[in-house]
PDB file of all heavy atoms in Angstrom:
ATOM      1  N   ASN F 109      69.801  80.743  86.437  1.00  0.00           N
ATOM      2  CA  ASN F 109      69.861  79.664  87.463  1.00  0.00           C
ATOM      3  C   ASN F 109      68.975  78.533  87.167  1.00  0.00           C
ATOM      4  O   ASN F 109      68.805  77.614  88.013  1.00  0.00           O
ATOM      5  CB  ASN F 109      69.525  80.290  88.853  1.00  0.00           C
ATOM      6  CG  ASN F 109      70.614  81.260  89.394  1.00  0.00           C
ATOM      7  OD1 ASN F 109      71.787  81.052  89.082  1.00  0.00           O
ATOM      8  ND2 ASN F 109      70.135  82.363  89.918  1.00  0.00           N
ATOM      9  N   GLU F 110      68.335  78.545  85.967  1.00  0.00           N
ATOM     10  CA  GLU F 110      67.481  77.446  85.589  1.00  0.00           C
ATOM     11  C   GLU F 110      68.239  76.187  85.459  1.00  0.00           C
ATOM     12  O   GLU F 110      69.267  76.133  84.672  1.00  0.00           O
ATOM     13  CB  GLU F 110      66.694  77.781  84.337  1.00  0.00           C
ATOM     14  CG  GLU F 110      65.733  76.734  83.838  1.00  0.00           C
ATOM     15  CD  GLU F 110      64.972  77.112  82.667  1.00  0.00           C
ATOM     16  OE1 GLU F 110      64.730  78.359  82.466  1.00  0.00           O
ATOM     17  OE2 GLU F 110      64.672  76.352  81.745  1.00  0.00           O
ATOM     18  N   PRO F 111      67.842  75.016  86.068  1.00  0.00           N
ATOM     19  CA  PRO F 111      68.491  73.782  85.954  1.00  0.00           C
ATOM     20  C   PRO F 111      68.245  73.112  84.592  1.00  0.00           C
ATOM     21  O   PRO F 111      67.038  73.041  84.168  1.00  0.00           O
ATOM     22  CB  PRO F 111      68.018  72.944  87.078  1.00  0.00           C
ATOM     23  CG  PRO F 111      66.737  73.459  87.415  1.00  0.00           C
ATOM     24  CD  PRO F 111      66.674  74.996  87.012  1.00  0.00           C
ATOM     25  N   ILE F 112      69.332  72.620  83.985  1.00  0.00           N
ATOM     26  CA  ILE F 112      69.117  71.899  82.703  1.00  0.00           C
ATOM     27  C   ILE F 112      69.548  70.393  82.940  1.00  0.00           C
ATOM     28  O   ILE F 112      70.727  70.212  83.446  1.00  0.00           O
ATOM     29  CB  ILE F 112      69.979  72.539  81.515  1.00  0.00           C
ATOM     30  CG1 ILE F 112      69.666  74.025  81.478  1.00  0.00           C
ATOM     31  CG2 ILE F 112      69.852  71.823  80.320  1.00  0.00           C
ATOM     32  CD1 ILE F 112      68.284  74.309  81.115  1.00  0.00           C
ATOM     33  N   THR F 113      68.616  69.522  82.601  1.00  0.00           N
ATOM     34  CA  THR F 113      68.929  68.056  82.748  1.00  0.00           C
ATOM     35  C   THR F 113      69.780  67.593  81.503  1.00  0.00           C
ATOM     36  O   THR F 113      69.416  67.803  80.342  1.00  0.00           O
ATOM     37  CB  THR F 113      67.738  67.290  82.898  1.00  0.00           C
ATOM     38  OG1 THR F 113      66.871  67.760  83.997  1.00  0.00           O
ATOM     39  CG2 THR F 113      68.062  65.797  83.029  1.00  0.00           C
ATOM     40  N   LEU F 114      71.023  67.012  81.842  1.00  0.00           N
ATOM     41  CA  LEU F 114      71.933  66.580  80.752  1.00  0.00           C
ATOM     42  C   LEU F 114      71.208  65.451  80.068  1.00  0.00           C
ATOM     43  O   LEU F 114      70.796  64.426  80.676  1.00  0.00           O
ATOM     44  CB  LEU F 114      73.197  66.171  81.329  1.00  0.00           C
ATOM     45  CG  LEU F 114      74.007  67.309  82.013  1.00  0.00           C
ATOM     46  CD1 LEU F 114      75.444  66.862  82.379  1.00  0.00           C
ATOM     47  CD2 LEU F 114      73.999  68.603  81.129  1.00  0.00           C
ATOM     48  N   ASP F 115      71.029  65.651  78.732  1.00  0.00           N
ATOM     49  CA  ASP F 115      70.408  64.582  77.896  1.00  0.00           C
ATOM     50  C   ASP F 115      71.417  63.951  76.874  1.00  0.00           C
ATOM     51  O   ASP F 115      72.163  64.663  76.203  1.00  0.00           O
ATOM     52  CB  ASP F 115      69.326  65.249  77.111  1.00  0.00           C
ATOM     53  CG  ASP F 115      68.427  64.281  76.229  1.00  0.00           C
ATOM     54  OD1 ASP F 115      68.994  63.214  75.786  1.00  0.00           O
ATOM     55  OD2 ASP F 115      67.185  64.509  76.233  1.00  0.00           O
ATOM     56  N   GLU F 116      71.487  62.562  76.966  1.00  0.00           N
ATOM     57  CA  GLU F 116      72.505  61.939  76.113  1.00  0.00           C
ATOM     58  C   GLU F 116      72.521  62.330  74.623  1.00  0.00           C
ATOM     59  O   GLU F 116      73.432  62.262  73.874  1.00  0.00           O
ATOM     60  CB  GLU F 116      72.395  60.433  76.263  1.00  0.00           C
ATOM     61  CG  GLU F 116      73.697  59.686  75.891  1.00  0.00           C
ATOM     62  CD  GLU F 116      73.704  58.241  76.400  1.00  0.00           C
ATOM     63  OE1 GLU F 116      72.617  57.833  76.993  1.00  0.00           O
ATOM     64  OE2 GLU F 116      74.638  57.537  76.244  1.00  0.00           O
ATOM     65  N   SER F 117      71.222  62.642  74.205  1.00  0.00           N
ATOM     66  CA  SER F 117      71.076  62.950  72.793  1.00  0.00           C
ATOM     67  C   SER F 117      71.805  64.319  72.438  1.00  0.00           C
ATOM     68  O   SER F 117      72.079  64.634  71.284  1.00  0.00           O
ATOM     69  CB  SER F 117      69.590  63.167  72.333  1.00  0.00           C
ATOM     70  OG  SER F 117      69.019  64.204  73.053  1.00  0.00           O
ATOM     71  N   ASN F 118      72.160  65.061  73.383  1.00  0.00           N
ATOM     72  CA  ASN F 118      73.000  66.370  73.238  1.00  0.00           C
ATOM     73  C   ASN F 118      74.466  66.249  73.653  1.00  0.00           C
ATOM     74  O   ASN F 118      75.113  67.245  73.693  1.00  0.00           O
ATOM     75  CB  ASN F 118      72.320  67.436  73.925  1.00  0.00           C
ATOM     76  CG  ASN F 118      70.917  67.678  73.468  1.00  0.00           C
ATOM     77  OD1 ASN F 118      70.601  67.815  72.326  1.00  0.00           O
ATOM     78  ND2 ASN F 118      69.979  68.035  74.462  1.00  0.00           N
ATOM     79  N   TYR F 119      74.860  65.058  73.865  1.00  0.00           N
ATOM     80  CA  TYR F 119      76.341  64.766  74.159  1.00  0.00           C
ATOM     81  C   TYR F 119      77.129  64.971  72.913  1.00  0.00           C
ATOM     82  O   TYR F 119      76.725  64.513  71.898  1.00  0.00           O
ATOM     83  CB  TYR F 119      76.498  63.514  74.896  1.00  0.00           C
ATOM     84  CG  TYR F 119      76.310  63.599  76.438  1.00  0.00           C
ATOM     85  CD1 TYR F 119      75.148  64.096  76.845  1.00  0.00           C
ATOM     86  CD2 TYR F 119      77.184  63.113  77.225  1.00  0.00           C
ATOM     87  CE1 TYR F 119      74.899  64.127  78.267  1.00  0.00           C
ATOM     88  CE2 TYR F 119      77.024  63.147  78.719  1.00  0.00           C
ATOM     89  CZ  TYR F 119      75.861  63.676  79.075  1.00  0.00           C
ATOM     90  OH  TYR F 119      75.596  63.795  80.468  1.00  0.00           O
ATOM     91  N   SER F 120      78.364  65.523  73.056  1.00  0.00           N
ATOM     92  CA  SER F 120      79.227  65.661  71.928  1.00  0.00           C
ATOM     93  C   SER F 120      80.611  65.259  72.365  1.00  0.00           C
ATOM     94  O   SER F 120      80.809  64.690  73.392  1.00  0.00           O
ATOM     95  CB  SER F 120      79.256  67.188  71.520  1.00  0.00           C
ATOM     96  OG  SER F 120      79.896  67.319  70.270  1.00  0.00           O
ATOM     97  N   LEU F 121      81.615  65.460  71.490  1.00  0.00           N
ATOM     98  CA  LEU F 121      82.960  65.165  71.749  1.00  0.00           C
ATOM     99  C   LEU F 121      83.706  66.393  72.415  1.00  0.00           C
ATOM    100  O   LEU F 121      83.223  67.510  72.182  1.00  0.00           O
ATOM    101  CB  LEU F 121      83.660  64.668  70.434  1.00  0.00           C
ATOM    102  CG  LEU F 121      83.087  63.431  69.866  1.00  0.00           C
ATOM    103  CD1 LEU F 121      83.788  63.060  68.523  1.00  0.00           C
ATOM    104  CD2 LEU F 121      83.260  62.233  70.769  1.00  0.00           C
ATOM    105  N   PRO F 122      84.899  66.156  72.949  1.00  0.00           N
ATOM    106  CA  PRO F 122      85.600  67.333  73.443  1.00  0.00           C
ATOM    107  C   PRO F 122      85.923  68.337  72.270  1.00  0.00           C
ATOM    108  O   PRO F 122      85.992  67.911  71.144  1.00  0.00           O
ATOM    109  CB  PRO F 122      86.880  66.727  74.009  1.00  0.00           C
ATOM    110  CG  PRO F 122      86.484  65.323  74.343  1.00  0.00           C
ATOM    111  CD  PRO F 122      85.538  64.914  73.269  1.00  0.00           C
ATOM    112  N   SER F 123      86.210  69.597  72.669  1.00  0.00           N
ATOM    113  CA  SER F 123      86.660  70.069  74.010  1.00  0.00           C
ATOM    114  C   SER F 123      85.528  70.157  74.951  1.00  0.00           C
ATOM    115  O   SER F 123      84.359  70.223  74.573  1.00  0.00           O
ATOM    116  CB  SER F 123      87.401  71.368  73.900  1.00  0.00           C
ATOM    117  OG  SER F 123      86.570  72.286  73.268  1.00  0.00           O
ATOM    118  N   GLY F 124      85.963  70.241  76.322  1.00  0.00           N
ATOM    119  CA  GLY F 124      84.955  70.361  77.343  1.00  0.00           C
ATOM    120  C   GLY F 124      85.065  69.283  78.394  1.00  0.00           C
ATOM    121  O   GLY F 124      85.882  68.365  78.270  1.00  0.00           O
ATOM    122  N   ILE F 125      84.244  69.447  79.453  1.00  0.00           N
ATOM    123  CA  ILE F 125      84.117  68.394  80.467  1.00  0.00           C
ATOM    124  C   ILE F 125      82.682  67.843  80.603  1.00  0.00           C
ATOM    125  O   ILE F 125      82.519  66.879  81.213  1.00  0.00           O
ATOM    126  CB  ILE F 125      84.608  69.036  81.763  1.00  0.00           C
ATOM    127  CG1 ILE F 125      83.674  70.204  82.144  1.00  0.00           C
ATOM    128  CG2 ILE F 125      86.011  69.392  81.785  1.00  0.00           C
ATOM    129  CD1 ILE F 125      83.987  70.771  83.547  1.00  0.00           C
ATOM    130  N   THR F 126      81.722  68.541  80.120  1.00  0.00           N
ATOM    131  CA  THR F 126      80.292  68.129  80.373  1.00  0.00           C
ATOM    132  C   THR F 126      80.068  66.701  79.812  1.00  0.00           C
ATOM    133  O   THR F 126      79.214  66.002  80.336  1.00  0.00           O
ATOM    134  CB  THR F 126      79.255  69.160  79.717  1.00  0.00           C
ATOM    135  OG1 THR F 126      79.709  70.400  80.204  1.00  0.00           O
ATOM    136  CG2 THR F 126      77.837  68.867  80.129  1.00  0.00           C
ATOM    137  N   GLN F 127      80.755  66.389  78.712  1.00  0.00           N
ATOM    138  CA  GLN F 127      80.545  65.099  78.128  1.00  0.00           C
ATOM    139  C   GLN F 127      80.981  63.914  79.115  1.00  0.00           C
ATOM    140  O   GLN F 127      80.580  62.766  78.876  1.00  0.00           O
ATOM    141  CB  GLN F 127      81.340  64.976  76.745  1.00  0.00           C
ATOM    142  CG  GLN F 127      82.789  64.788  76.853  1.00  0.00           C
ATOM    143  CD  GLN F 127      83.560  66.040  77.221  1.00  0.00           C
ATOM    144  OE1 GLN F 127      82.963  67.163  77.212  1.00  0.00           O
ATOM    145  NE2 GLN F 127      84.879  65.860  77.374  1.00  0.00           N
ATOM    146  N   THR F 128      81.695  64.176  80.041  1.00  0.00           N
ATOM    147  CA  THR F 128      82.149  63.214  81.077  1.00  0.00           C
ATOM    148  C   THR F 128      81.129  63.028  82.197  1.00  0.00           C
ATOM    149  O   THR F 128      81.423  62.159  83.038  1.00  0.00           O
ATOM    150  CB  THR F 128      83.531  63.598  81.579  1.00  0.00           C
ATOM    151  OG1 THR F 128      83.444  64.720  82.472  1.00  0.00           O
ATOM    152  CG2 THR F 128      84.510  63.877  80.557  1.00  0.00           C
ATOM    153  N   GLU F 129      80.139  63.886  82.296  1.00  0.00           N
ATOM    154  CA  GLU F 129      79.126  63.961  83.470  1.00  0.00           C
ATOM    155  C   GLU F 129      77.973  63.055  83.072  1.00  0.00           C
ATOM    156  O   GLU F 129      77.591  62.850  81.841  1.00  0.00           O
ATOM    157  CB  GLU F 129      78.815  65.313  83.765  1.00  0.00           C
ATOM    158  CG  GLU F 129      80.019  66.103  84.161  1.00  0.00           C
ATOM    159  CD  GLU F 129      79.797  67.569  84.441  1.00  0.00           C
ATOM    160  OE1 GLU F 129      78.776  68.071  83.968  1.00  0.00           O
ATOM    161  OE2 GLU F 129      80.585  68.183  85.112  1.00  0.00           O
ATOM    162  N   GLU F 130      77.332  62.462  84.104  1.00  0.00           N
ATOM    163  CA  GLU F 130      76.294  61.501  83.983  1.00  0.00           C
ATOM    164  C   GLU F 130      75.065  62.118  83.270  1.00  0.00           C
ATOM    165  O   GLU F 130      74.492  63.141  83.746  1.00  0.00           O
ATOM    166  CB  GLU F 130      75.916  60.929  85.214  1.00  0.00           C
ATOM    167  CG  GLU F 130      76.924  59.891  85.862  1.00  0.00           C
ATOM    168  CD  GLU F 130      76.992  58.703  84.997  1.00  0.00           C
ATOM    169  OE1 GLU F 130      75.905  58.150  84.450  1.00  0.00           O
ATOM    170  OE2 GLU F 130      78.087  58.115  84.855  1.00  0.00           O
ATOM    171  N   PRO F 131      74.435  61.479  82.294  1.00  0.00           N
ATOM    172  CA  PRO F 131      73.236  61.963  81.840  1.00  0.00           C
ATOM    173  C   PRO F 131      72.187  61.882  82.950  1.00  0.00           C
ATOM    174  O   PRO F 131      72.192  60.999  83.757  1.00  0.00           O
ATOM    175  CB  PRO F 131      72.847  60.834  80.708  1.00  0.00           C
ATOM    176  CG  PRO F 131      74.155  60.324  80.263  1.00  0.00           C
ATOM    177  CD  PRO F 131      75.052  60.355  81.497  1.00  0.00           C
ATOM    178  N   GLY F 132      71.241  62.794  82.982  1.00  0.00           N
ATOM    179  CA  GLY F 132      70.298  63.020  83.959  1.00  0.00           C
ATOM    180  C   GLY F 132      70.622  63.876  85.053  1.00  0.00           C
ATOM    181  O   GLY F 132      69.833  64.321  85.881  1.00  0.00           O
ATOM    182  N   SER F 133      72.037  64.220  85.237  1.00  0.00           N
ATOM    183  CA  SER F 133      72.421  65.228  86.181  1.00  0.00           C
ATOM    184  C   SER F 133      72.099  66.555  85.694  1.00  0.00           C
ATOM    185  O   SER F 133      71.670  66.742  84.496  1.00  0.00           O
ATOM    186  CB  SER F 133      73.928  65.112  86.521  1.00  0.00           C
ATOM    187  OG  SER F 133      74.675  65.353  85.324  1.00  0.00           O
ATOM    188  N   GLN F 134      72.103  67.599  86.483  1.00  0.00           N
ATOM    189  CA  GLN F 134      71.639  68.891  86.171  1.00  0.00           C
ATOM    190  C   GLN F 134      72.748  69.877  86.343  1.00  0.00           C
ATOM    191  O   GLN F 134      73.567  69.865  87.225  1.00  0.00           O
ATOM    192  CB  GLN F 134      70.408  69.357  86.981  1.00  0.00           C
ATOM    193  CG  GLN F 134      69.236  68.528  86.698  1.00  0.00           C
ATOM    194  CD  GLN F 134      68.053  68.991  87.412  1.00  0.00           C
ATOM    195  OE1 GLN F 134      68.139  69.539  88.566  1.00  0.00           O
ATOM    196  NE2 GLN F 134      66.849  68.919  86.830  1.00  0.00           N
ATOM    197  N   ARG F 135      72.736  70.895  85.462  1.00  0.00           N
ATOM    198  CA  ARG F 135      73.643  72.088  85.454  1.00  0.00           C
ATOM    199  C   ARG F 135      72.815  73.340  85.095  1.00  0.00           C
ATOM    200  O   ARG F 135      71.902  73.221  84.264  1.00  0.00           O
ATOM    201  CB  ARG F 135      74.871  71.851  84.513  1.00  0.00           C
ATOM    202  CG  ARG F 135      75.730  70.694  84.702  1.00  0.00           C
ATOM    203  CD  ARG F 135      76.432  70.790  86.015  1.00  0.00           C
ATOM    204  NE  ARG F 135      77.317  69.569  86.259  1.00  0.00           N
ATOM    205  CZ  ARG F 135      76.831  68.448  86.837  1.00  0.00           C
ATOM    206  NH1 ARG F 135      75.710  68.403  87.381  1.00  0.00           N
ATOM    207  NH2 ARG F 135      77.672  67.358  87.038  1.00  0.00           N
ATOM    208  N   THR F 136      73.116  74.424  85.733  1.00  0.00           N
ATOM    209  CA  THR F 136      72.450  75.662  85.399  1.00  0.00           C
ATOM    210  C   THR F 136      72.703  76.183  84.067  1.00  0.00           C
ATOM    211  O   THR F 136      73.819  75.854  83.497  1.00  0.00           O
ATOM    212  CB  THR F 136      72.619  76.662  86.464  1.00  0.00           C
ATOM    213  OG1 THR F 136      74.021  77.125  86.459  1.00  0.00           O
ATOM    214  CG2 THR F 136      72.279  76.242  87.884  1.00  0.00           C
ATOM    215  N   VAL F 137      71.857  77.012  83.531  1.00  0.00           N
ATOM    216  CA  VAL F 137      72.148  77.799  82.282  1.00  0.00           C
ATOM    217  C   VAL F 137      73.457  78.564  82.418  1.00  0.00           C
ATOM    218  O   VAL F 137      74.235  78.461  81.462  1.00  0.00           O
ATOM    219  CB  VAL F 137      70.928  78.682  81.939  1.00  0.00           C
ATOM    220  CG1 VAL F 137      71.355  79.595  80.828  1.00  0.00           C
ATOM    221  CG2 VAL F 137      69.722  77.923  81.640  1.00  0.00           C
ATOM    222  N   GLN F 138      73.674  79.251  83.476  1.00  0.00           N
ATOM    223  CA  GLN F 138      74.920  80.049  83.575  1.00  0.00           C
ATOM    224  C   GLN F 138      76.174  79.073  83.621  1.00  0.00           C
ATOM    225  O   GLN F 138      77.253  79.424  83.031  1.00  0.00           O
ATOM    226  CB  GLN F 138      74.844  80.773  84.983  1.00  0.00           C
ATOM    227  CG  GLN F 138      76.103  81.870  84.961  1.00  0.00           C
ATOM    228  CD  GLN F 138      76.027  82.732  86.132  1.00  0.00           C
ATOM    229  OE1 GLN F 138      74.826  83.022  86.659  1.00  0.00           O
ATOM    230  NE2 GLN F 138      77.055  83.436  86.454  1.00  0.00           N
ATOM    231  N   ILE F 139      76.137  78.009  84.231  1.00  0.00           N
ATOM    232  CA  ILE F 139      77.287  77.167  84.247  1.00  0.00           C
ATOM    233  C   ILE F 139      77.597  76.578  82.945  1.00  0.00           C
ATOM    234  O   ILE F 139      78.701  76.548  82.407  1.00  0.00           O
ATOM    235  CB  ILE F 139      77.108  75.921  85.245  1.00  0.00           C
ATOM    236  CG1 ILE F 139      77.186  76.369  86.682  1.00  0.00           C
ATOM    237  CG2 ILE F 139      78.035  74.756  84.975  1.00  0.00           C
ATOM    238  CD1 ILE F 139      76.742  75.405  87.776  1.00  0.00           C
ATOM    239  N   LEU F 140      76.509  76.099  82.138  1.00  0.00           N
ATOM    240  CA  LEU F 140      76.770  75.677  80.759  1.00  0.00           C
ATOM    241  C   LEU F 140      77.332  76.757  79.851  1.00  0.00           C
ATOM    242  O   LEU F 140      78.135  76.625  79.004  1.00  0.00           O
ATOM    243  CB  LEU F 140      75.444  75.127  80.207  1.00  0.00           C
ATOM    244  CG  LEU F 140      74.891  73.832  80.893  1.00  0.00           C
ATOM    245  CD1 LEU F 140      73.650  73.366  80.245  1.00  0.00           C
ATOM    246  CD2 LEU F 140      75.932  72.752  80.841  1.00  0.00           C
ATOM    247  N   ALA F 141      76.797  77.955  80.029  1.00  0.00           N
ATOM    248  CA  ALA F 141      77.194  79.101  79.241  1.00  0.00           C
ATOM    249  C   ALA F 141      78.639  79.502  79.565  1.00  0.00           C
ATOM    250  O   ALA F 141      79.396  79.701  78.633  1.00  0.00           O
ATOM    251  CB  ALA F 141      76.340  80.350  79.493  1.00  0.00           C
ATOM    252  N   GLN F 142      79.052  79.371  80.914  1.00  0.00           N
ATOM    253  CA  GLN F 142      80.474  79.674  81.259  1.00  0.00           C
ATOM    254  C   GLN F 142      81.307  78.661  80.686  1.00  0.00           C
ATOM    255  O   GLN F 142      82.438  78.996  80.107  1.00  0.00           O
ATOM    256  CB  GLN F 142      80.483  79.610  82.828  1.00  0.00           C
ATOM    257  CG  GLN F 142      81.896  79.907  83.322  1.00  0.00           C
ATOM    258  CD  GLN F 142      82.149  81.411  83.410  1.00  0.00           C
ATOM    259  OE1 GLN F 142      81.231  82.160  83.838  1.00  0.00           O
ATOM    260  NE2 GLN F 142      83.198  81.844  82.878  1.00  0.00           N
ATOM    261  N   ARG F 143      81.029  77.340  80.759  1.00  0.00           N
ATOM    262  CA  ARG F 143      81.723  76.284  80.134  1.00  0.00           C
ATOM    263  C   ARG F 143      81.908  76.436  78.597  1.00  0.00           C
ATOM    264  O   ARG F 143      82.929  76.237  77.979  1.00  0.00           O
ATOM    265  CB  ARG F 143      81.157  74.920  80.449  1.00  0.00           C
ATOM    266  CG  ARG F 143      81.354  74.514  81.870  1.00  0.00           C
ATOM    267  CD  ARG F 143      80.630  73.171  82.140  1.00  0.00           C
ATOM    268  NE  ARG F 143      80.764  72.766  83.481  1.00  0.00           N
ATOM    269  CZ  ARG F 143      80.292  71.548  83.971  1.00  0.00           C
ATOM    270  NH1 ARG F 143      79.694  70.782  83.171  1.00  0.00           N
ATOM    271  NH2 ARG F 143      80.426  71.308  85.220  1.00  0.00           N
ATOM    272  N   MET F 144      80.821  76.860  77.894  1.00  0.00           N
ATOM    273  CA  MET F 144      80.803  77.015  76.441  1.00  0.00           C
ATOM    274  C   MET F 144      81.867  78.034  76.021  1.00  0.00           C
ATOM    275  O   MET F 144      82.572  77.856  75.038  1.00  0.00           O
ATOM    276  CB  MET F 144      79.399  77.496  75.999  1.00  0.00           C
ATOM    277  CG  MET F 144      79.316  77.738  74.482  1.00  0.00           C
ATOM    278  SD  MET F 144      77.669  78.146  73.928  1.00  0.00           S
ATOM    279  CE  MET F 144      77.353  79.695  74.685  1.00  0.00           C
ATOM    280  N   ILE F 145      81.935  79.141  76.767  1.00  0.00           N
ATOM    281  CA  ILE F 145      82.927  80.188  76.358  1.00  0.00           C
ATOM    282  C   ILE F 145      84.268  79.979  76.919  1.00  0.00           C
ATOM    283  O   ILE F 145      85.312  80.030  76.228  1.00  0.00           O
ATOM    284  CB  ILE F 145      82.350  81.511  76.742  1.00  0.00           C
ATOM    285  CG1 ILE F 145      80.971  81.838  76.041  1.00  0.00           C
ATOM    286  CG2 ILE F 145      83.321  82.608  76.372  1.00  0.00           C
ATOM    287  CD1 ILE F 145      80.937  81.780  74.512  1.00  0.00           C
ATOM    288  N   GLU F 146      84.388  79.717  78.246  1.00  0.00           N
ATOM    289  CA  GLU F 146      85.634  79.604  78.996  1.00  0.00           C
ATOM    290  C   GLU F 146      86.538  78.495  78.452  1.00  0.00           C
ATOM    291  O   GLU F 146      87.695  78.598  78.192  1.00  0.00           O
ATOM    292  CB  GLU F 146      85.495  79.477  80.392  1.00  0.00           C
ATOM    293  CG  GLU F 146      86.749  79.560  81.151  1.00  0.00           C
ATOM    294  CD  GLU F 146      86.544  79.518  82.650  1.00  0.00           C
ATOM    295  OE1 GLU F 146      85.370  79.576  83.161  1.00  0.00           O
ATOM    296  OE2 GLU F 146      87.573  79.556  83.453  1.00  0.00           O
ATOM    297  N   ILE F 147      85.843  77.234  78.271  1.00  0.00           N
ATOM    298  CA  ILE F 147      86.643  76.053  77.912  1.00  0.00           C
ATOM    299  C   ILE F 147      86.128  75.526  76.594  1.00  0.00           C
ATOM    300  O   ILE F 147      86.366  74.367  76.257  1.00  0.00           O
ATOM    301  CB  ILE F 147      86.681  75.048  78.986  1.00  0.00           C
ATOM    302  CG1 ILE F 147      85.250  74.588  79.370  1.00  0.00           C
ATOM    303  CG2 ILE F 147      87.453  75.586  80.177  1.00  0.00           C
ATOM    304  CD1 ILE F 147      85.287  73.390  80.370  1.00  0.00           C
ATOM    305  N   SER F 148      85.340  76.289  75.892  1.00  0.00           N
ATOM    306  CA  SER F 148      84.835  75.763  74.613  1.00  0.00           C
ATOM    307  C   SER F 148      84.059  74.448  74.641  1.00  0.00           C
ATOM    308  O   SER F 148      84.292  73.580  73.838  1.00  0.00           O
ATOM    309  CB  SER F 148      85.903  75.860  73.567  1.00  0.00           C
ATOM    310  OG  SER F 148      85.287  76.095  72.322  1.00  0.00           O
ATOM    311  N   ASP F 149      83.399  74.222  75.748  1.00  0.00           N
ATOM    312  CA  ASP F 149      82.657  72.940  75.967  1.00  0.00           C
ATOM    313  C   ASP F 149      81.535  72.659  74.895  1.00  0.00           C
ATOM    314  O   ASP F 149      80.560  73.333  74.863  1.00  0.00           O
ATOM    315  CB  ASP F 149      82.033  73.092  77.368  1.00  0.00           C
ATOM    316  CG  ASP F 149      81.617  71.679  77.930  1.00  0.00           C
ATOM    317  OD1 ASP F 149      80.856  70.956  77.249  1.00  0.00           O
ATOM    318  OD2 ASP F 149      81.959  71.367  78.972  1.00  0.00           O
TER     319      ASP F 149
END
């Protein structure tokens, strides 16, 4: 449940949806892990 702040230096190209979200917003470790595997973010 640790919040991770989205940093523009770690933005990549699709697949995924996280690259469409604002830098500085936060997502938990579990959400990022879920996206990494489920939609190959």
Side-chain angles (χ1 to χ4, degrees):
N109 294 321
E110 180 176 330
I112 304 303
T113 301
L114 300 186
D115 186 324
E116 199 164 4
S117 67
N118 295 320
Y119 275 52
S120 188
L121 296 176
S123 54
I125 59 172
T126 309
Q127 78 281 352
T128 68
E129 297 172 343
E130 285 295 321
S133 56
Q134 293 187 327
R135 300 294 179 270
T136 66
V137 170
Q138 185 170 343
I139 286 173
L140 294 180
Q142 187 79 48
R143 291 178 177 182
M144 175 175 69
I145 301 300
E146 183 177 359
I147 60 172
S148 208
D149 192 309

